[in-house]
Amino acid sequence: MRPWPASGTGGLRCAVLLALAGTAVLLPCRLADRNQTGLCKGLSLARVPRGFPGGLRSLDLSYNKLREITAADLAGLTQLRSLDLGYNNISRIAPDAFLSTVLLEQLRLFNNSLAFIPAPALRPLANLRWLDMSNNPYGSAALDGVFGALRRLRVLSMGGPLLRDVARGDLAALKDTALQKFAFKSASSLRRYEAGAFSWLNTTELWCDMALDESAAALPVLLRDLRGKPLDYLRFRNLFEFTYYQGAQDPFSGLAELRATKLVFYRGKFNENLLRLALLNVQRSRVRQLELVAIDFARSPQWNSSGVGAVAPRLDRLLLQDISNPDVLRYDWTFTWLSGVAALSIVNVNFNYVPCDAWGEMRSVELLDISRNRLEDAYIYNQRCHYRGVMPKLRDLVLADNRLQSLAVVASLTRTWPRLARLDLSHNALGSLQETCQWGPTLRWLALHHNRVTAATFGCLPTTLEYLDLSHSQLDRLDMGYFARSPRLRELLLSGNKIKFIPSEWSCSSLEALAIDGNSFGVITRGSFLNMPRLANLTAGNNPYHCTCDLYGFLRETRRRGRPRLGDWPQNWTCYHPEALLDTPVASYAPRPLECDVPALVAVAVASTAVAVAACAALCWKLEAGWYVRATYRLLRSKYRAGHAGTSRHCLYHAFISYSRADAEWVRRELLRRLESAEPPYRLCIHERDFVPGRWIIDNIVENIENSAKVIFVLSRSFVDSEWCNYELYFAHQRAVGLGYQDVILVVKEPIDVRGLPRRFARLRKMLGSRTYLEWPREPGRQPFFWMQLRSLLGTPGGLSGGEEETDVDATSTATSAGTATTST
């Protein structure tokens, strides 16, 4: 076979691309879930688009302008499971419209223009489980036999605004269908309900949107039709839509014969008499959950007092919600109907205070939810009310979304209830007051999110908690003392605050779960949660993280240990700093190998430093550079200090020399010869030459030390053994207290073990341990430098009789001599 020419191949490719482009133009919908979901909601479509992928499983065509559904509209969608056609203008569905979608399980036709129930079109849908075809203008509720074949149907909604009559056989096709929910809507005022119409139903939930303003007598008939049915949930919407019931008959008779345990009245008009009749029948029935939602409640012009005081049904739960008139709470001028309720919810009923007698009637309440009202501090806690013992079973209290400002007021309430364990105070204005609070000892769970919490608020929180939620409360810092006082705290939520840093000393021994996401801190280190040994779950994303070694080390350690588990990792962790990494996922942050490996980095640095130090030490030892550097430094320092400080005294000698008899030869041969032969010469005082004969030796020592500008101690082992040397040292020390230690010069002629000195030489031991001294070098080459240093310390010799100015050289800074300059500290 000959290959196609290149031009022909190019033309074919162009045609394919044009065809694909055309398909894209014809498909205005968005595809999701790997092309398994088509989203065409609210696009003003007048017809079903073409070009959906064959594997489509869900298609939403609601809120458009469709008028008709044909077989061609859904052709090829053989895998379709869910189809939403609600809120269109569909008036016709072709009998073969669903031939291609036999696997369809959910179909919504709500709020269209169907004048007839489209039974022929539903025939192929044997797998249908959920069907909503209510709010359409068909006038008859009669179901075709097709519905009898829909044996898998579990949820069915039907009816519309034109349905005014319900005949006995309309629902007969459902007699063998076990429904989970059946919803029926009629016209605003049902004209006729024929007995037995609902007797075909086998459903656990029944939703009746039926207004009985003109046919209240139909309600007892309807209830009798439900006897013996597996009905558990019964809901009425707009039972009386336009008028308050004024009849003498009991419209709820028959309720006691049903199996239903939950009864809901949604919207509609209720007066005191109708509510009293409902409660009397509920009291005799199996109903354990009663809800009155968005009803229009009003007082009755003539109050029927029969049954007053006895209307106290035992209920597991009573919900009063979205009712504008708070009189519904005491419809019979008392609160007695609340006395048998275990879980009481009064939500958005517009009441702003709780009367004293109401607390006493709620003696059986275990859960009280009075959220979304207008309660204030003074209205929730009335000093004139008696609270202690009035609600002995209360365990859960919900005061969310009110106008509370004082935690102390709420704390006072909690002390009156012996079993209270859970308290919800969210969405108030709590936390901004400086208060002292005393809480009940049984409280374990507290929600304070969406308040105005500060660090000072922690001083008013209970320390018995196991759960604490302070999320979204403008908190900017923490009180570490509170966590130390709360040994039971296991779960802490701090999301959405303004916390700027995580304290390293944060200690909470029992904490297991912590949420600190959405705050303002940027640093977490390996030690941030070190004092939380039980921490297993951590949520910390959505913070302006500094992607540095601290954060990297924390994440590496967390992965190594396997805890805490990061609940929002990695999708909510983003770098904020440095600027080069802005908006980079933290999971992508990978520093260089040695950048964050501290042990390896330290090892490399230590090894490099050791090599450098060893090389320098070897060089210095070879050239003896260290000795000269240290000696020169101390010599220059001594000259500097000598030039900036001095004392003016009348002295006879430049220096008094203290030495032992064993060192006399060295003193005469070296010390005197070098200093007294200098130009100009130094005048020195030694005991064997200059002491006055016949005087007491102590007087000679004291007088000559006082008449000398400096005192030179020639230290050796013999010096230590000399008693007179110790005297001279003592007197020199006493003079130093008044004149300064710069007058004392220590010359170590031979090494001395400072630790082995006798106790009487404590002063010498202290001086050698805290001062720098000169050491006589044995090497002749270093001795000239020794004499240079000594002359520097003595200063330039001058006229002593005229008050020689002597150099102020601090002995603590005196340069060491030849040999090794030794400084003991």
Side-chain angles (χ1 to χ4, degrees):
M1 179 180 295
R2 293 171 55 189
W4 286 357
S7 58
T9 304
L12 179 60
R13 289 176 181 173
C14 291
V16 172
L17 291 174
L18 287 173
L20 292 175
T23 301
V25 170
L26 292 175
L27 187 60
C29 308
R30 183 168 62 89
L31 297 177
D33 299 331
R34 298 181 180 180
N35 293 339
Q36 292 187 1
T37 300
L39 302 174
C40 310
K41 182 178 179 178
L43 299 180
S44 299
L45 300 175
R47 53 172 296 178
V48 177
R50 302 290 195 272
F52 289 109
L56 200 70
R57 298 176 65 89
S58 177
L59 179 57
D60 184 355
L61 289 164
S62 60
Y63 293 91
N64 281 292
K65 298 179 180 180
L66 305 179
R67 302 175 65 88
E68 181 182 14
I69 302 297
T70 66
D73 291 334
L74 304 174
L77 301 181
T78 58
Q79 302 300 314
L80 199 63
R81 300 295 198 278
S82 175
L83 177 60
D84 189 348
L85 296 171
Y87 291 97
N88 278 282
N89 194 27
I90 300 172
S91 59
R92 178 180 179 274
I93 300 179
D96 55 354
F98 302 121
L99 284 178
S100 298
T101 59
V102 295
L103 298 179
L104 200 63
E105 297 177 356
Q106 296 186 17
L107 176 60
R108 186 169 184 248
L109 299 170
F110 180 79
N111 205 70
N112 275 282
S113 302
L114 296 173
F116 302 95
I117 296 175
L122 302 176
R123 190 180 301 276
L125 304 180
N127 292 298
L128 202 61
R129 301 177 60 86
W130 189 93
L131 174 61
D132 184 356
M133 55 179 187
S134 62
N135 215 36
N136 278 279
Y138 45 81
S140 172
L143 296 180
D144 190 272
V146 170
F147 284 87
L150 303 179
R151 306 300 289 272
R152 296 188 179 182
L153 196 62
R154 292 296 174 265
V155 178
L156 175 60
S157 299
M158 60 175 294
L162 301 183
L163 196 60
R164 299 180 60 85
D165 299 288
V166 184
R168 186 179 188 280
D170 285 349
L171 307 178
L174 301 175
K175 64 178 181 178
D176 296 324
T177 304
L179 295 173
Q180 295 175 357
K181 175 183 174 181
F182 178 74
F184 189 86
K185 177 179 174 58
S186 70
S188 294
S189 294
L190 185 67
R191 183 171 51 195
R192 181 176 66 92
Y193 174 87
E194 190 173 352
F198 279 8
S199 63
W200 310 103
L201 297 175
N202 293 289
T203 183
T204 56
E205 289 188 30
L206 177 59
W207 294 41
C208 294
D209 187 356
M210 302 168 61
L212 303 181
D213 298 70
E214 300 177 3
S215 55
L219 184 56
V221 178
L222 184 152
L223 293 176
R224 282 195 297 270
D225 287 344
L226 299 174
R227 286 179 298 182
K229 301 298 181 182
L231 187 65
D232 183 65
Y233 179 104
L234 179 59
R235 180 180 186 267
F236 291 102
R237 181 180 186 274
N238 281 327
L239 190 61
F240 293 92
E241 186 174 8
F242 301 111
T243 59
Y244 293 101
Y245 180 67
Q246 303 293 338
Q249 302 278 330
D250 183 359
F252 299 107
S253 62
L255 184 64
E257 301 177 47
L258 303 185
R259 296 182 183 179
T261 60
K262 184 172 182 179
L263 176 62
V264 178
F265 293 106
Y266 177 68
R267 305 188 64 138
K269 293 184 176 297
F270 268 75
N271 55 18
E272 291 174 287
N273 284 327
L274 184 64
L275 183 55
R276 179 182 62 85
L277 292 173
L279 292 176
L280 285 171
N281 284 277
V282 167
Q283 187 181 31
R284 297 190 291 264
S285 71
R286 300 183 187 181
V287 173
R288 290 295 175 265
Q289 297 185 57
L290 176 62
E291 296 183 3
L292 302 174
V293 181
I295 64 170
D296 179 5
F297 179 79
R299 295 283 185 183
S300 294
Q302 295 181 346
W303 167 242
N304 186 338
S305 61
S306 62
V308 173
V311 184
R314 300 190 64 82
L315 296 173
D316 295 336
R317 183 171 184 264
L318 172 61
L319 171 64
L320 306 174
Q321 181 175 332
D322 301 333
I323 302 172
S324 59
N325 188 354
D327 281 348
V328 70
L329 298 176
R330 53 192 309 172
Y331 78 98
D332 60 352
W333 304 101
T334 71
F335 293 96
T336 55
W337 70 301
L338 307 179
S339 60
V341 179
L344 176 60
S345 298
I346 306 172
V347 180
N348 191 28
V349 184
N350 290 298
F351 75 99
N352 58 6
Y353 78 103
V354 182
C356 294
D357 55 339
W359 294 110
E361 290 297 340
M362 294 186 289
R363 53 185 172 272
S364 298
V365 173
E366 299 175 12
L367 183 152
L368 177 61
D369 181 356
I370 46 179
S371 58
R372 292 172 51 199
N373 287 291
R374 295 181 293 154
L375 293 170
E376 299 180 8
D377 300 326
Y379 301 150
I380 190 70
Y381 184 72
N382 188 338
Q383 298 288 347
R384 293 175 295 179
C385 295
H386 175 70
Y387 294 98
R388 189 167 299 279
V390 296
M391 298 183 71
K393 297 182 180 180
L394 185 65
R395 294 196 310 267
D396 296 70
L397 176 62
V398 182
L399 290 168
D401 206 354
N402 278 283
R403 300 176 182 177
L404 303 177
Q405 295 182 347
S406 173
L407 274 173
V409 167
V410 181
S412 300
L413 273 176
T414 65
R415 297 200 307 272
T416 66
W417 299 318
R419 296 186 181 181
L420 185 67
R422 294 169 61 93
L423 179 61
D424 186 349
L425 297 173
S426 58
H427 293 277
N428 278 284
L430 295 163
S432 58
L433 302 179
Q434 296 290 332
E435 301 177 292
T436 300
C437 304
Q438 296 181 0
W439 298 84
T442 58
L443 196 63
R444 298 290 181 268
W445 192 99
L446 177 61
L448 268 173
H449 58 86
H450 293 90
N451 276 280
R452 301 173 184 173
V453 177
T454 65
T457 307
F458 285 94
C460 196
L461 296 182
T463 57
T464 58
L465 298 178
E466 297 177 2
Y467 173 97
L468 176 60
D469 187 353
L470 296 174
S471 302
H472 305 284
S473 294
Q474 306 177 39
L475 180 64
D476 59 356
R477 59 190 178 90
L478 303 172
D479 178 6
M480 295 297 100
Y482 172 77
F483 301 103
R485 300 190 304 269
S486 305
R488 298 180 179 178
L489 190 61
R490 297 192 302 173
E491 187 170 356
L492 177 63
L493 306 183
L494 298 170
S495 305
N497 281 296
K498 301 177 181 179
I499 300 172
K500 297 178 178 61
F501 69 97
I502 301 298
S504 58
E505 68 274 14
W506 194 356
S507 176
C508 195
S509 58
S510 58
L511 197 65
E512 298 176 1
L514 174 62
I516 50 175
D517 54 305
N519 278 277
S520 301
F521 62 88
V523 178
I524 295 182
T525 67
R526 281 181 290 187
S528 295
F529 310 106
L530 197 61
N531 295 325
M532 298 179 184
R534 297 187 180 180
L535 188 62
N537 296 287
L538 175 65
T539 304
N542 290 323
N543 281 292
Y545 279 114
H546 292 211
C547 287
T548 61
C549 291
D550 288 332
L551 180 61
Y552 180 77
F554 165 77
L555 294 172
R556 185 172 61 176
E557 182 69 13
T558 299
R559 287 192 292 266
R560 185 187 67 80
R561 294 176 54 200
R563 58 182 301 160
R565 187 182 67 84
L566 303 180
D568 54 353
W569 174 266
Q571 60 272 16
N572 292 330
W573 292 61
T574 306
C575 296
Y576 181 79
H577 180 82
E579 187 175 357
L581 297 176
L582 182 63
D583 295 331
T584 300
V586 174
S588 302
Y589 171 58
R592 292 184 294 273
L594 287 181
E595 184 178 347
C596 294
D597 193 340
V598 176
L601 188 61
V602 170
V604 171
V606 168
S608 302
T609 305
V611 170
V613 169
C616 291
L619 183 61
C620 290
W621 177 82
K622 182 71 175 175
L623 301 177
E624 298 187 357
W627 182 87
Y628 286 104
V629 169
R630 291 193 300 272
T632 303
Y633 165 74
R634 286 168 173 79
L635 177 60
L636 294 176
R637 181 175 176 85
S638 297
K639 287 183 177 292
Y640 173 80
R641 293 177 64 86
H644 284 75
T647 59
S648 296
R649 293 189 290 118
H650 294 282
C651 300
L652 298 177
Y653 303 101
H654 290 102
F656 176 88
I657 303 175
S658 175
Y659 58 96
S660 70
R661 183 175 301 175
D663 299 321
E665 179 63 25
W666 181 83
V667 171
R668 289 191 297 269
R669 186 183 72 251
E670 296 290 345
L671 196 59
L672 294 180
R673 186 174 65 84
R674 288 282 186 178
L675 297 178
E676 291 183 341
S677 62
E679 287 297 334
Y682 291 93
R683 187 173 181 181
L684 305 176
C685 177
I686 61 175
H687 67 272
E688 59 187 82
R689 183 187 67 184
D690 300 310
F691 278 16
V692 177
R695 293 190 66 184
W696 190 32
I697 191 170
I698 296 297
D699 290 340
N700 269 311
I701 294 174
V702 172
E703 183 177 346
N704 285 285
I705 288 178
E706 291 295 331
N707 288 329
S708 299
K710 307 285 183 179
V711 180
I712 300 175
F713 288 98
V714 179
L715 304 179
S716 65
R717 287 185 290 273
S718 300
F719 182 93
V720 175
D721 296 332
S722 172
E723 183 177 356
W724 294 112
C725 289
N726 186 34
Y727 281 120
E728 294 169 352
L729 179 65
Y730 173 78
F731 294 130
H733 179 270
Q734 294 301 316
R735 194 185 80 161
V737 171
L739 299 177
Y741 283 102
Q742 64 271 17
D743 292 346
V744 178
I745 301 173
L746 302 179
V747 175
V748 179
K749 180 175 171 288
E750 58 187 32
I752 299 176
D753 184 6
V754 178
R755 294 173 297 179
L757 291 175
R759 290 187 177 180
R760 68 176 183 272
F761 281 93
R763 298 175 184 84
L764 179 59
R765 185 163 50 241
K766 180 179 180 182
M767 293 172 67
L768 288 172
S770 61
R771 295 168 51 80
T772 306
Y773 49 85
L774 295 175
E775 189 171 348
W776 170 250
R778 297 295 181 182
E779 300 85 348
R782 295 184 179 180
Q783 291 174 3
F785 199 80
F786 169 82
W787 299 115
M788 186 187 305
Q789 289 179 292
L790 182 56
R791 285 194 296 269
S792 175
L793 295 176
L794 290 172
T796 302
L800 294 173
S801 60
E804 167 189 34
E805 184 174 292
E806 301 182 9
T807 308
D808 179 15
V809 182
D810 188 353
T812 59
S813 305
T814 305
T816 59
S817 72
T820 55
T822 307
T823 304
S824 301
T825 302

